[in-house]
Amino acid sequence: MSLLEVHDIHTYYGKIHALKGISLTVEKGEIVTLIGGNGAGKTTTLNTISGITPAAEGYIIFEGKDITRAPAHQIVSFGVIQSPEGRKIFTRLTVRENLEMGAFIRKDLAKIARDMEYVFHRFPRLKERINQLGGTLSGGEQQMLAIGRALMASPHLLLLDEPSMGLAPMLVEEIFNVIQYLNGESGTTILLVEQNATKALEIAARGYVLQSGYITHRGTGAELQHDPTIIEAYLGGH
């Protein structure tokens, strides 16, 4: 059984049919990426999995449990943790307080302390700015804080939504190195939504291509990288 199984999901915003029968799987220990243009349904897919925008039809199974109708806070308690598009850190809280908010539902104080040290190990700049307000951090530092906050929730499945958005190329490289490290060294399972399709497919075991609420292509990262249709549409082909 897959860690995550999404079956024929339909999601609406009012009368707008945003997801039109999405089905996908994520195996334990994988990086799986969702790519596609703006408005394709990538963020809606993550929000549906995490319970923020509940599905109208279909079902979602996580670690053998049906979570389709579970509220978002309960899905978090199951270990499905999202780092949202646009970072959405608490700008008036310090770096430490933002990280503590990530561990809000946890009671294992010793493990929380170890996890915070792990976050500081992966993101040394956050430790340097531990008492600085989140809103005064640079864009790259805010993205590190958003990922760090998600890690503080002890994810079984980490949903990353556009982690490289708005970052300088050097910082994009750094963020992708961290994603690979979390997966390779720590075994964190990751479902990645990313506009930078080239980088996403380089590090993903498998990928899905979304267009107008449908999955149009699926395959390994390497297969999608060499698919002429994907190259033309998303990888800068001519």
Side-chain angles (χ1 to χ4, degrees), residues 80-99:
V80 180
I81 310 300
Q82 186 166 345
S83 178
E85 180 182 3
R87 299 145 197 167
K88 295 183 172 63
I89 63 165
F90 300 103
T91 58
R92 297 186 180 183
L93 298 183
T94 66
V95 167
R96 178 189 290 278
E97 289 166 339
N98 268 273
L99 295 176

Side-chain angles (χ1 to χ4, degrees), residues 101-117:
M101 287 300 292
F104 181 76
I105 65 169
R106 297 174 58 186
K107 307 298 182 187
D108 47 339
L109 298 181
K111 180 77 163 48
I112 290 171
R114 289 197 297 273
D115 286 349
M116 189 171 290
E117 283 306 311

Side-chain angles (χ1 to χ4, degrees), residues 148-218:
R149 182 181 59 187
L151 293 176
M152 289 300 296
S154 192
H156 297 191
L157 172 64
L158 180 59
L159 309 178
L160 291 179
D161 195 353
E162 302 287 7
S164 76
M165 180 182 286
L167 300 184
M170 187 178 299
L171 286 174
V172 170
E173 196 69 32
E174 185 174 350
I175 291 296
F176 274 92
N177 286 341
V178 168
I179 293 169
Q180 285 184 282
Y181 181 90
L182 293 175
N183 176 253
E185 299 298 320
S186 304
T188 304
T189 306
I190 296 170
L191 181 56
L192 170 68
V193 161
E194 180 53 59
Q195 288 277 16
N196 190 332
T198 300
K199 295 294 293 182
L201 292 174
E202 282 176 1
I203 68 170
R206 294 184 300 112
Y208 296 86
V209 181
L210 275 72
Q211 184 176 349
S212 302
Y214 297 98
I215 290 176
T216 60
H217 296 76
R218 64 187 72 207

Side-chain angles (χ1 to χ4, degrees), residues 132-152:
Q132 195 168 320
L133 295 181
T136 66
L137 301 178
S138 70
E141 290 162 351
Q142 288 189 12
Q143 186 60 66
M144 294 173 191
L145 182 57
I147 295 174
R149 182 181 59 187
L151 293 176
M152 289 300 296

